[in-house]
Amino acid sequence: MNSNLSQPDKIRIQRVRLTFPSEAGPVRVLDGIDLAIKEGEFVTVIGPSGCGKSTLMNLVSKTVEHAADQFEGTIDIAWRSNAAHRLGYVLQKDTLLPWRTLEANVGVGLEIMGMPSHEREAQVQSWIHRVGLAGFEKSYPFAMSGGMRQRANIIRTLACNPEVVLMDEPFGALDAQTRMTLQQLLIDLWHAAKTTILFVTHDVEESILLGNRVVLMSRRPAKIHRVFDIDIPHPRSVIDARVAPAFQDAYREIWKELKGDIELSQLKNSAAKGIA
Amino acid sequence: MKDNATIHFLRFGVLGAFLIGWELLTGGWIKATSPTALYFSSPLKIIGAFQHEYVVLFTDLVVTLVEAFAGLVSGTITGVLIGVLFARYRLLDRVFEPFFQAVNAVPRPALAPLLVIWFGLGMSSKILASWSAVFFVVFYNVYAGVKAIDPDYIRAIRLLGASSGQIVSIVVVPSVVSWIFAALRVSVAFSLLGAIVGEFAGATEGLGYRLLVSEGLLQTDMVYAILVLLMVVGVTLTSLAQRVEKRLLRWRPPAVSI
Ligand SMILES: Nc1ncnc2c1ncn2[C@@H]1O[C@H](COP(=O)(O)OP(=O)(O)OP(=O)(O)O)[C@@H](O)[C@H]1O
Ligand SMILES: [Mg+2]
């Protein structure tokens, strides 16, 4: 569903190349990434392990500095504000502070923003309710399940109302059922707020269920191999979307590309062995 | 496990049997004039010592507690400051580590006479002895605590837009505080130990001093009274520290028993 073609680009990644120094010489990880993401788009990124997905997210979030000779290209984000919390970044491992209760953890971003506590409490309460954590406000992280913790971890970021949210395999460590619940939750939250989301996953199904577009990266040195438009209307249901024809088409297409990639790499491996 | 009431009942039973046995053995069968009375006193005589000497005992107790408390506070503050500094600055850590280990290896009682030579018979030498016992406990705990702060917490909080100051107040301070409280029980016990040891080395007041004086005068009842007092104080303070620790460290998962 590419109805927002008229929207301006929110994130523009152009000719991004990145090389890591290593003992065996420089390793090129990203090899010319071009990607434009519209305001309010939900884009998912998949690709083989180690191809540089997390690296790309780190670059977009500007949380790591790179020497000029290692990094080329530009990453522009059309910010609407100057606020420190305009970008949210959710990692696979939840990083709730163990000495804070659930509500104090969810409110930490708002606290950093300097929101007065009575306002904060109301907001935190409403977020906790929305994700079904009511009743656990005073619980500490050690007494919460992985799914509960990740829920809190996500709303802690969303509560700050960021313009752009980056998510790096946030559901990677969860069991299938919890994962589905959280996928649905994320779809609903996105549908309500229309935040721009860039979401990394290694799960093909997840990438199609969540994304308006799926970006498939090639193995290292990574380029963008293909981009798939996913024409499943919103609001989606994770159960119904799975049986939508658009889902199945995309699933088949993506696997076709991935299979090619896998066979190619096996070919390369056996060729390398043959020489040795 | 038996229910709590039974356990308490049995404990009182053991205590009662011990006290009655002690009283009978020393008061009844062994004549007060016999030399054994000098060694073992008796529960009633100890109570008598409390009755006669409570003013002295109370004043000495206050002195010792003030010394220990001052040592605890100063030891904790300096331990935290230097612990954080060493954890943050690798150079300091690498240079001073062997010196700290060497000083810490000196048994505190052996240090006490020197402190008395330096600072005299008054309270300051006791406070310093107490400080020297507390400081290292807190220092090593805080040092380890700061080192153990998960860098992912700092990264995540920074990603939520925190300034460096906010990172300190939201991540660093709470973790350091939790380590201080984890060390609290030990540091309370050590502060008392330091004060008593300091008083042994030379003093004009305090429970340690009174203990030495009573020993010299062969006032065994008084020696026992002081020991009982120290025991009560020690138990009270450490269980108080344990309460505080439990309350403030609620967020830690309960320890797994093996
Ligand atoms: N700081 C670094 N220094 C050197 N090499 C690095 C560094 N960070 C990442 N790499 C290398 O860059 C490549 C890409 O890493 P990245 O973490 O971005 O992969 P990924 O696509 O997120 O993988 P996964 O799906 O397993 O999470 C890897 O081969 C990794 O070894
Ligand atoms: Mg990764």
Side-chain angles (χ1 to χ4, degrees):
Chain A
M1 200 167 60
N2 250 350
S3 57
N4 46 8
L5 277 177
S6 55
Q7 291 270 4
D9 289 342
K10 183 69 178 175
I11 306 174
R12 197 181 298 136
I13 301 168
Q14 284 176 304
R15 299 180 307 280
V16 164
R17 291 161 156 250
L18 186 81
T19 310
F20 279 121
S22 86
E23 276 165 24
V27 180
R28 169 143 297 174
V29 175
L30 299 176
D31 192 28
I33 302 283
D34 282 285
L35 183 64
I37 296 166
K38 304 266 181 221
E39 176 99 50
E41 235 191 329
F42 195 145
V43 173
T44 50
V45 178
I46 52 170
S49 180
C51 74
K53 304 181 293 294
S54 299
T55 306
L56 182 64
M57 300 287 265
N58 290 340
L59 286 174
V60 174
S61 73
K62 303 216 157 58
T63 48
V64 278
E65 299 288 325
H66 288 287
D69 59 332
Q70 290 161 21
F71 175 71
E72 293 169 41
T74 55
I75 297 178
D76 295 306
I77 304 181
W79 294 115
R80 276 180 270 122
S81 88
N82 256 327
H85 58 268
R86 60 192 183 180
L87 180 124
Y89 195 168
V90 180
L91 307 167
Q92 174 171 357
K93 185 182 150 206
D94 79 74
T95 46
L96 299 181
L97 301 173
W99 52 84
R100 283 184 174 235
T101 58
L102 170 68
E103 55 182 2
N105 264 302
V106 171
V108 73
L110 301 174
E111 192 180 316
I112 291 167
M113 282 164 59
M115 181 182 284
S117 68
H118 57 276
E119 241 175 278
R120 198 163 72 214
E121 268 163 40
Q123 287 225 14
V124 166
Q125 263 308 314
S126 96
W127 277 102
I128 287 179
H129 271 274
R130 282 175 78 178
V131 300
L133 288 175
F136 293 96
E137 288 84 354
K138 308 279 182 225
S139 297
Y140 287 96
F142 82 86
M144 289 158 59
S145 72
M148 290 164 72
R149 282 205 295 267
Q150 192 55 287
R151 255 180 260 197
N153 196 36
I154 289 171
I155 60 174
R156 170 176 84 172
T157 297
L158 296 184
C160 298
N161 198 18
E163 294 177 39
V164 170
V165 180
L166 308 176
M167 298 188 155
D168 194 352
E169 303 198 27
F171 306 149
L174 304 176
D175 64 276
Q177 207 180 333
T178 311
R179 173 184 264 249
M180 244 166 89
T181 320
L182 291 203
Q183 286 167 346
Q184 186 65 58
L185 188 74
L186 187 60
I187 289 174
D188 296 342
L189 292 175
W190 173 80
H191 189 70
K194 287 286 159 55
T195 313
T196 311
I197 299 183
L198 191 54
F199 185 107
V200 167
T201 174
H202 56 246
D203 178 347
V204 176
E205 277 189 36
E206 183 168 82
S207 72
I208 304 167
L209 284 175
L210 299 179
N212 301 134
R213 283 193 294 157
V214 176
V215 172
L216 176 60
M217 284 170 72
S218 65
R219 56 184 52 252
R220 209 181 65 197
K223 289 187 189 330
I224 290 185
H225 190 68
R226 251 184 88 175
V227 179
F228 301 85
D229 289 322
I230 310 298
D231 287 325
I232 308 173
H234 274 279
R236 293 177 184 171
S237 131
V238 284
I239 296 164
D240 298 340
R242 271 197 174 72
V243 293
F247 176 91
Q248 294 173 354
D249 291 345
Y251 189 79
R252 206 174 294 122
E253 282 293 305
I254 293 172
W255 270 113
K256 215 185 276 172
E257 298 289 349
L258 283 173
K259 225 175 104 203
D261 211 27
I262 293 166
E263 275 165 8
L264 201 70
S265 68
Q266 279 170 346
L267 217 64
K268 268 189 199 154
N269 279 343
S270 45
K273 271 181 205 140
I275 292 164
Chain B
M1 202 178 32
K2 286 268 185 200
D3 63 319
N4 276 337
T6 320
I7 297 288
H8 279 301
F9 180 75
L10 289 174
R11 279 178 184 169
F12 275 109
V14 169
L15 183 65
F18 174 72
L19 289 178
I20 291 169
W22 185 3
E23 185 62 43
L24 285 179
L25 279 172
T26 52
W29 296 345
I30 304 169
K31 291 275 163 304
T33 48
S34 94
T36 40
L38 203 60
Y39 299 131
F40 298 116
S41 187
S42 89
L44 287 179
K45 283 187 191 154
I46 296 171
I47 291 171
F50 273 115
Q51 275 173 346
H52 292 121
E53 300 287 353
Y54 67 93
V55 179
V56 173
L57 284 173
F58 183 75
T59 346
D60 284 330
L61 173 65
V62 170
V63 168
T64 303
L65 284 182
V66 167
E67 292 162 354
F69 186 71
L72 180 66
V73 172
S74 59
T76 303
I77 292 173
T78 47
V80 168
L81 290 179
I82 298 183
V84 169
L85 254 131
F86 273 47
R88 289 294 310 270
Y89 300 103
R90 224 180 124 59
L91 182 69
L92 272 180
D93 180 18
R94 306 250 341 237
V95 171
F96 282 98
E97 196 225 55
F99 300 115
F100 271 56
Q101 285 207 356
V103 175
N104 190 29
V106 178
R108 240 40 107 232
L111 207 64
L114 188 65
L115 293 175
V116 172
I117 293 175
W118 284 352
F119 296 96
L121 295 176
M123 271 194 178
S124 39
S125 57
K126 286 63 186 179
I127 295 175
L128 230 77
S130 176
W131 170 87
S132 76
V134 174
F135 171 78
F136 285 98
V137 175
V138 176
F139 168 78
Y140 282 116
N141 251 284
V142 166
Y143 175 83
V146 174
K147 285 261 164 174
I149 293 175
D150 189 338
D152 285 343
Y153 292 152
I154 293 181
R155 179 165 182 230
I157 294 301
R158 183 172 287 137
L159 280 168
L160 286 167
S163 62
S164 321
Q166 284 174 321
I167 288 172
V168 170
S169 68
I170 293 174
V171 183
V172 180
V173 170
S175 358
V176 170
V177 167
S178 74
W179 284 92
I180 297 170
F181 283 109
L184 191 63
R185 232 180 323 159
V186 181
S187 27
V188 163
F190 272 42
S191 69
L192 207 57
L193 178 106
I196 298 285
V197 158
E199 288 167 359
F200 277 173
T204 54
E205 49 186 353
L207 286 179
Y209 163 77
R210 193 64 54 202
L211 201 59
L212 282 191
V213 170
S214 312
E215 180 219 332
L217 297 174
L218 292 181
Q219 292 172 336
T220 317
D221 305 340
M222 192 67 171
V223 170
Y224 274 90
I226 292 167
L227 287 181
V228 170
L229 198 57
L230 281 174
M231 194 160 76
V232 170
V233 167
V235 169
T236 311
L237 288 182
T238 43
S239 67
L240 211 71
Q242 193 172 11
R243 283 247 179 116
V244 173
E245 180 189 327
K246 251 206 184 132
R247 165 119 191 85
L248 285 169
L249 301 185
R250 266 173 324 200
W251 54 270
R252 292 205 172 158
V256 183
S257 53
I258 305 163

